[in-house]
Every structure is written in C-alpha cells, then in structure tokens.
Amino acid sequence: MLFGAFNVNNMEIIQAITDAANEENSPVILQASSSAIKYARINYLKKMIEASLEEYDIPIALHLDHGPDFETCKMCVDSGFSSVMIDGSKYSFEENVALTKKVVEYAHSKGVVVEAELGKLAGVEDDVNVSDADAMYTNPDEAKEFVERTGCDSLAIAIGTSHGAYKFKGDAKLRFDILQKVKEKLPHTPIVLHGASTVIPELVDMCNKYGANIPGAKGVPDEMLHEASLNGVSKINVDTDLRLAMTAAIRKVFTDEPETFDPRKYMLPARDLIKQTVKHKIKDVFGSSNKA
Ligand code: G3H
Ligand code: 13P
Ligand code: ZN
C-alpha cells in the first residue's frame, strides 16, 4: 500500500488535502516540518487537524516531518502526533544511530512510531562528482544495520530525489537498484521517499505565465513514482507540488483581477487547485483511493 504524505502549513492546505482524501475515500498522512510548526504554531495545527477528523470518517495521521532533534520529536509525541520523523542524516552513521535510538525509545514508550533517515538527499544545485554522489546514496548494508540497531519503524532513503523544484539537471534518474537492495535486506520495513514531488509542469507553467520566475524546474515523473511503489516504497512525501498549486492560483487572481484584495477571493482558488492536485495524486499516482 502506498501512502501520500502531504506537508501542511495553514488551514487552506489542511482543508484541501483532507477534502481531496475524503472524496477519494483514502487514508492520508498530513505532515508538519519544524518550520511549519513555528509558522502555524503547534496548537493551531493540531486543532485544525482535529477539526478535519471530526468532519471526515477517513484515517488521517499527523506526522512530524524532518524532526531536527530529540526535543522537537518529544514535543510532538507529547502533543499527540501519530508519528514522528527524526532526521539524523546530517550526522555521522554512529551519531545518527544514537539520536534515532533515543527518539525511538521515547516515542515507542508512548505508542508513537518513528521514521528515520539514512543517506543524503542532494539537490541539483549541490555540485557533486560521481563518487561524492555515490557516497550520498543510502548504503543497503548500512540500512539493515541502522534499522536493527535503532528499532525505527520506517526508513527514508536517498536514491536520487531531492527537495524543492530543481531535482534533476538532465533526465530524471533514480537508483532503483539501490531501492531493490534495501528492500531485499529490509523486506518488512516501510521505505519512504522524500523529495518526491513531480514538479507538475502545468503548475510551473501557470506560475511562470502569471509572473513567477521558476525556469527549468524538474521533478520525479509519475511513472517513476509508480515504479518506486512497485519496488517497495510505502510513503511518498509531497510539498513542492502543493506550493506550486497555491502560488499558481493566487498569481492568476492577482494578474486577472488586480482590483481584488479580499483574501478569500484568492485563497479559495488556491485551496481548490491544491485539492485537485492531491486528488490526482491519490487517484492516478499513488492508487490509495477506495472510492466506490
Ligand atoms: O522536506 C521539507 C519540506 O518541504 C518542508 O519544508 O521546512 O520549508 O517547511 P519547510
Ligand atoms: P518535495 O520538495 O519534492 O515536495 O519533497 C517534500 C518532502 O520530502 C517533505 O519531507
Ligand atoms: Zn523531506
């Protein structure tokens, strides 16, 4: 089963994602980064998500995305999140093991599951040569040792994706061979793909048509996400595509109706376009729809 995990920062994004998931009768993961929590404030995020749970009868999880340290993970566990990610990928292997283990021990004692990360997600801007790039990908043997030693419940791996709108200079390329090896060694561990936005060309074009300057943006094509799911990826993280949808819709209103200054007049089309984007992913890409 493949789950979409969508980043949330405000009410309209939460409503758009949960409206889409509800219409598709699909479970959905809402995830908040530590900067999203700083922006929206943890209680607001929690209460808005509680409101969506009251409104809809679908499974909705609240997940901490890229928890930077033990304290942030603890805050989210204590505050009732369904799961937390501890991102120790910037540390050495041993430091990552130690930090992840500490989070796992605490989270498990409270019945909360933990996603961890091994390997580095390089962006297209990161000028690396081939051997440096190889060193960034997740090592399948290390992945097995890491999961065994930390007891983490799921693992984010690096196979060539990266965060943001500029993922590839030439053709999109992912190391499915590494994914397959990780899966052989960890057949029962759900694998997570970060930096998995498609960078939907129509949304990029719409942003640029209405005054944005996002040239040459490129993401992971839908067919590759499908292939990733066939090779054992269980959770696919999406933020950039939602940012593009929101920006495109708002820019269009600002361009077409310069006299408009009622925020509802541009937030409503923004919410609608995010909803359409999420529905497309649930239905056509992730296949998590249970619509009768
Ligand atoms: O993986 C990063 C997500 O896109 C969240 O980004 O830290 O700017 O909220 P953020
Ligand atoms: P994108 O930037 O590709 O949307 O990735 C989001 C992500 O990985 C959040 O953790
Ligand atoms: Zn991420």
Side-chain angles (χ1 to χ4, degrees):
M1 178 82 170
L2 183 60
F3 290 102
F6 300 95
N7 284 75
V8 298
N9 295 282
N10 65 19
M11 182 188 77
E12 284 78 7
I13 299 175
I14 292 170
Q15 289 176 332
I17 298 165
T18 53
D19 288 355
N22 181 60
E23 281 180 24
E24 291 302 324
N25 194 17
S26 167
V28 73
I29 301 168
L30 305 180
Q31 54 185 13
S33 67
S34 56
S35 48
I37 291 172
K38 268 192 204 104
Y39 172 80
R41 297 180 226 157
I42 193 161
N43 279 338
Y44 282 82
L45 284 175
K46 263 190 55 196
K47 300 280 179 199
M48 288 190 287
I49 291 163
E50 276 166 26
S52 69
L53 280 164
E54 278 169 28
E55 199 163 341
Y56 295 136
D57 201 18
I58 49 168
I60 300 172
L62 172 56
H63 173 74
L64 167 67
D65 189 30
H66 293 284
D69 47 42
F70 174 78
E71 290 70 28
T72 309
C73 292
K74 180 176 184 305
M75 173 181 78
C76 292
V77 168
D78 293 346
S79 154
F81 278 44
S82 333
S83 56
V84 293
M85 174 189 189
I86 175 68
D87 181 357
S89 63
K90 60 179 178 293
Y91 298 118
S92 71
F93 182 80
E94 287 301 328
E95 287 167 329
N96 192 357
V97 167
L99 176 61
T100 302
K101 210 164 169 237
K102 186 173 170 191
V103 171
V104 167
E105 274 162 16
Y106 185 74
H108 283 185
S109 76
K110 306 280 179 189
V112 171
V113 290
V114 178
E115 174 185 330
E117 177 163 337
L118 189 65
K120 292 188 174 58
L121 270 67
V124 79
E125 307 302 335
D126 302 328
D127 213 359
V128 289
N129 61 37
V130 176
S131 59
D132 284 348
D134 275 346
M136 294 188 169
Y137 297 130
T138 305
N139 175 314
D141 292 313
E142 282 186 0
K144 184 171 161 54
E145 183 185 339
F146 184 85
V147 171
E148 283 170 0
R149 285 176 60 191
T150 61
C152 67
D153 302 279
S154 61
L155 185 68
I157 61 167
I159 57 165
T161 61
S162 61
H163 293 112
Y166 297 93
K167 301 188 193 298
F168 304 103
K169 258 184 192 137
D171 291 340
K173 194 172 175 307
L174 294 186
R175 292 289 304 271
F176 287 111
D177 58 320
I178 295 179
L179 171 59
Q180 283 157 3
K181 283 194 189 110
V182 169
K183 233 18 230 183
E184 274 164 30
K185 293 188 184 283
L186 291 169
H188 306 300
T189 304
I191 299 300
V192 182
L193 207 55
H194 282 247
S197 274
T198 309
V199 189
I200 298 171
E202 291 79 11
L203 295 179
V204 176
D205 290 348
M206 189 172 161
C207 285
N208 286 333
K209 179 175 172 195
Y210 294 107
N213 184 18
I214 317 173
K218 191 178 276 183
V220 185
D222 286 349
E223 311 78 64
M224 282 196 173
L225 295 176
H226 184 63
E227 196 174 340
S229 79
L230 294 179
N231 281 288
V233 167
S234 304
K235 171 173 175 271
I236 294 222
N237 284 10
V238 176
D239 189 356
T240 297
D241 281 332
L242 310 188
R243 295 178 180 194
L244 289 169
M246 179 164 243
T247 303
I250 291 175
R251 278 191 172 280
K252 182 174 186 319
V253 175
F254 284 174
T255 306
D256 290 351
E257 304 164 34
E259 71 286 0
T260 289
F261 59 89
D262 177 345
R264 292 168 297 185
K265 296 264 162 53
Y266 50 85
M267 293 307 274
L268 199 125
R271 187 172 62 188
D272 280 349
L273 195 52
I274 297 173
K275 180 178 163 185
Q276 277 178 42
T277 305
V278 172
K279 274 187 85 158
H280 158 68
K281 286 186 182 282
I282 286 177
K283 199 156 46 101
D284 308 323
V285 188
F286 303 154
S288 64
S289 177
N290 293 301
K291 204 169 161 182

